[in-house]
Amino acid sequence: MTPLFVIFITVFLAELGDKTQLATVLFAADGRHHPALVFAAASAALVLSAGLAVLLGMAAERWLTMIPLKLIAGLGFIAIGAWTVWEHFKG
């Protein structure tokens, strides 16, 4: 698999059902905005967000060379999941 395909599939699957996608669906379903405008604005926002993520990742790679970034990301996802489960049972 090419790196482009792997990155595309990973990000595409991560975005399915994400809050960003749901917000875009709501804007499109609202009827007050032309679908092309919703598509253009959502696309530009995702491109800018991805650009910032790449810049942050490049900076993190320079400053956090001692700690694997995948470990940091994994621990972050575990923490968010644990917090979500805690909030569910906390009531």
Side-chain angles (χ1 to χ4, degrees):
M1 274 194 213
T2 66
L4 179 66
F5 182 71
V6 171
I7 294 167
F8 175 84
I9 291 298
T10 303
V11 173
F12 179 78
L13 292 175
E15 287 296 322
L16 286 178
D18 190 16
K19 290 181 290 188
T20 305
Q21 187 181 34
L22 296 176
T24 304
V25 167
L26 291 175
F27 278 118
D30 189 13
R32 290 188 286 173
H33 309 290
H34 192 277
L37 176 68
V38 174
F39 177 78
S43 297
L46 288 171
V47 167
L48 181 60
S49 176
L52 290 173
V54 168
L55 292 175
L56 183 65
M58 289 171 39
E61 187 257 340
R62 282 191 212 129
W63 299 105
L64 301 172
T65 55
M66 300 302 242
I67 304 169
L69 291 178
K70 286 184 180 180
L71 176 63
I72 294 170
L75 290 174
F77 279 115
I78 290 170
I80 291 169
W83 177 58
T84 303
V85 170
W86 172 260
E87 290 294 319
H88 171 75
F89 287 111
K90 185 175 142 185

